Amino acid sequence: GGLLASAGGAQADTPPVTVDASVTVSSSASISGLSPIALSGEAGTTVGGASETYTVQDNNPSGYIVSLSPGAVNLTGPAGTMPEASINVITGGGGNVGSYTPISRGLKLYLFAGPTTGNGQTLTDHFEDIIPSGQASGVYSGTITYTLQDNS
């Protein structure tokens, strides 16, 4: 027979070692799919038919708020101005604005209590304009700013 040789002594078991692990997920919020809003009609009438459909993505666990604000007090055109507050908005399903309401600074359209999921939340707003009686003809323009903020 042969001899078996062993180098060193028996290896001792060591206790398991644990480490803490963490993952930080950055805050992410966006609005996409907005397009120009166009309304047209005669002075002294109310015209509608313009809708804005867009997608919101927000990962805040407390939710988010969608609001809008006019860019200025007046729309401007070749024959002067027209009040931007003559533009009214109503939100689609789940919104806070259940009847046509004049746009105003910080008008809260939607309030959601949790983050969006999947491809985000699709929202739709409908617009009308009450064109003042005697308003001179022409194209009057301005801006409407949509804002997405955390619901905290």
Side-chain angles (χ1 to χ4, degrees):
L3 290 177
L4 295 175
S6 170
Q11 190 167 5
D13 288 340
T14 59
V17 177
T18 60
V19 296
D20 291 334
S22 65
V23 176
T24 301
V25 178
S26 300
S27 177
S28 171
S30 67
I31 298 176
S32 61
L34 292 169
S35 58
I37 299 164
L39 296 160
S40 64
E42 297 180 15
T45 64
T46 298
V47 296
S51 294
E52 187 72 77
T53 298
Y54 52 99
T55 302
V56 173
Q57 293 268 8
D58 191 297
N59 68 347
N60 185 315
S62 297
Y64 57 97
I65 299 167
V66 178
S67 59
L68 64 73
S69 296
V73 174
N74 293 312
L75 301 169
T76 57
T81 62
M82 181 169 53
E84 191 153 20
S86 68
I87 298 176
N88 297 316
V89 63
I90 186 172
T91 55
N96 291 346
V97 183
S99 61
Y100 277 107
T101 301
I103 63 172
S104 59
R105 193 155 308 284
L107 178 62
K108 290 182 178 156
L109 301 177
Y110 299 92
L111 170 64
F112 290 97
T116 59
T117 58
N119 293 325
Q121 177 74 41
T122 300
L123 304 171
T124 300
D125 305 324
H126 307 283
F127 293 88
E128 71 174 11
D129 190 25
I130 302 170
I131 301 173
S133 191
Q135 186 72 46
S137 66
V139 175
Y140 294 81
S141 60
T143 59
I144 296 174
T145 301
Y146 276 81
T147 304
L148 179 60
Q149 65 192 63
D150 290 339
N151 179 26
S152 23

